Amino acid sequence: LGRFVPDESLRANMTADLSALASCANLQTLDLSNCFWVTDVSALAGCATLHHLSLLRCQGVTDVSALAGCVALHTLIIERCQRVTNVSALGTCPALHTLD
C-alpha cells in the first residue's frame, strides 16, 4: 500500500493534478517516470513518509524545491528532467542521499 506506480494506460490519461496523492499518509514510493503531463510536484511536499520519488523523463517539471518538505525523502530521480535547473532547496532535506 505504500507504493504507487501508474500503468501505461493510466499514465496517458492522468491529469496533472497530484494533490490527491498528498493525502496518502503511508505513501513511500512514487514512480511517475515518463509522465509527461506532470508539471507541478508541490502537492507532494506534505508526503511525510515518501522516501523514493522517480520523475524520470517528466519533462514538464521545472521546480522541485517544494520537495524539501518531504522529510523522509532519500532518493529523488530527476534524470532527463531538462527544465529542472536548480536543486539547491533540496540541500535542506535531512534524509536525501541520492539525487540522480
Side-chain angles (χ1 to χ4, degrees), residues 33-52:
S33 299
N34 299 307
C35 292
F36 304 115
W37 47 264
V38 173
T39 58
D40 183 9
V41 295
S42 62
L44 302 176
C47 294
T49 59
L50 184 63
H51 62 80
H52 180 96

Side-chain angles (χ1 to χ4, degrees), residues 9 54 64 72 82:
S9 62
S54 179
V64 293
Q82 292 92 342

Side-chain angles (χ1 to χ4, degrees), residues 1-72:
L1 278 160
R3 180 176 172 84
F4 179 72
V5 180
D7 68 21
E8 291 305 316
S9 62
L10 184 59
R11 288 177 203 263
N13 295 310
M14 291 181 82
T15 66
D17 185 5
L18 298 178
S19 61
L21 295 176
S23 63
C24 295
N26 297 317
L27 184 64
Q28 296 177 1
T29 300
L30 181 58
D31 185 347
L32 295 173
S33 299
N34 299 307
C35 292
F36 304 115
W37 47 264
V38 173
T39 58
D40 183 9
V41 295
S42 62
L44 302 176
C47 294
T49 59
L50 184 63
H51 62 80
H52 180 96
L53 175 60
S54 179
L55 298 173
L56 176 71
R57 294 188 194 97
C58 290
Q59 298 172 0
V61 175
T62 59
D63 184 11
V64 293
S65 61
L67 297 176
C70 298
V71 295

